[in-house]
């Protein structure tokens, strides 16, 4: 509140301003009558965390008055830890073991979580579930569970995104993995049996079946076909 307690005529007010992360509105106009007062409303809108200062300056015909302003800005800090996001080799169309990622708020204010999602070219190969609330308290954490089910062979990748009100949002984690398939071969493409008397049995010949791929081979059957 600015008051004119002098017995002089109205006091001209030339300017009212603030410095720092503060703003003001006022009801003072350009002059203040004898015995009158007016109000300056000051607000604090910090742009960075920590202790911040500023000054309210009132310039009038009688000089400049100043009021020291101070405030402390708090902010959440979000970090992702735990899993590296690297799943390694995984058979195509088979789900991997779960990897756990911890989201922690190590800041000085509650962390507002706006969404947790997966993006990227192979986003459908990765999945997440989580137990994170909409607001994560100071020093609290929650868990995100990740799995990898490659839809094709070769290198696959995507990104885990945590959208929140912390600096650097969204927090991200690169997800990688390789889809693997079996590679089945036989030791010989053909077998040739010597002439043998009808109705009798030949000596056996062996074919070796090998899987040189990076995934298990599911054998659905072994059979003989052809006219004989």
């Amino acid at each position: 509140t600015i008051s004119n307690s002098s017995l002089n005529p109205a006091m001209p007010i030339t300017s009212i301003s603030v410095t720092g992360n503060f703003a003001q509105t006022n009801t003072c106009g350009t002059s203040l009558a004898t015995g009158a007062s007016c109000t300056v409303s000051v607000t604090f809108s910090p742009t960075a965390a920590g202790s911040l200062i500023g000054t309210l300056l009132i310039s009038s015909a009688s000089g400049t008055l100043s009021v020291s302003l101070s405030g402390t800005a708090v902010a959440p800090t979000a970090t992702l830890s735990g899993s590296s996001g690297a799943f390694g080799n995984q058979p195509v169309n088979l789900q991997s073991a779960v990897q756990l990622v911890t989201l922690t708020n190590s800041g000085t204010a509650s962390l507002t979580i706006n969404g947790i999602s997966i993006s990227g070219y192979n986003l459908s190969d990765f999945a997440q579930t989580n137990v994170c609330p909409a607001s994560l308290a100071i020093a609290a954490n929650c868990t995100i569970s990740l799995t990898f089910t490659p839809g094709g062979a070769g290198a696959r990748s995507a990104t885990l995104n945590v959208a929140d009100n912390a600096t650097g949002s969204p927090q991200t984690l690169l997800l990688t993995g390789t889809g693997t398939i079996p590679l089945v071969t036989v030791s010989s493409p053909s077998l040739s049996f010597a002439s043998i008397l009808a109705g009798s049995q030949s000596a056996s010949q062996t074919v070796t079946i090998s899987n040189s791929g990076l995934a298990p081979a599911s054998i659905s059957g072994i059979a003989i076909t052809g006219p004989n």
Side-chain angles (χ1 to χ4, degrees):
T1 301
I2 303 172
S3 301
N4 180 8
S5 58
S6 71
L7 299 177
N8 298 322
M11 177 183 68
I13 297 177
T14 55
S15 68
I16 298 176
S17 62
V18 290
T19 64
N21 296 151
F22 300 86
Q24 66 83 25
T25 58
N26 66 82
T27 61
C28 298
T30 57
S31 66
L32 195 60
T34 301
S37 63
C38 63
T39 300
V40 180
S41 299
V42 180
T43 56
F44 177 41
S45 301
T47 57
S51 298
L52 303 172
I53 60 173
T55 305
L56 170 65
L57 299 169
I58 303 112
S59 298
S60 67
S62 60
T64 299
L65 302 173
S66 66
V67 178
S68 297
L69 308 173
S70 64
T72 300
V74 297
T77 300
T79 55
L80 291 172
S81 61
S83 166
S84 65
F87 285 87
N89 292 338
Q90 180 65 25
V92 169
N93 297 324
L94 291 179
Q95 183 174 295
S96 70
V98 174
Q99 289 196 23
L100 299 179
V101 174
T102 300
L103 173 64
T104 303
N105 176 14
S106 57
T108 52
S110 295
L111 177 70
T112 299
I113 300 174
N114 300 314
I116 299 175
S117 62
I118 293 175
S119 64
Y121 185 74
N122 302 124
L123 66 90
S124 61
D125 289 9
F126 299 86
Q128 68 83 23
T129 59
N130 67 82
V131 293
C132 296
S135 180
L136 194 61
I138 298 169
N141 61 66
C142 61
T143 300
I144 302 170
S145 300
L146 299 169
T147 55
F148 174 46
T149 308
R156 322 289 282 184
S157 66
T159 302
L160 172 68
N161 304 283
V162 179
D164 50 49
N165 65 331
T167 300
S169 176
Q171 278 65 47
T172 61
L173 178 67
L174 178 64
L175 308 177
T176 61
T178 301
T180 59
I181 56 174
L183 180 60
V184 176
T185 58
V186 293
S187 58
S188 176
S190 65
L191 297 178
S192 179
F193 289 84
S195 298
I196 188 173
L197 184 65
S200 60
Q201 180 174 296
S202 71
S204 64
Q205 295 192 40
T206 300
V207 174
T208 301
I209 303 171
S210 302
N211 176 15
S212 58
L214 298 175
S218 176
I219 299 176
S220 56
I222 298 176
I224 294 174
T225 63
N228 305 120

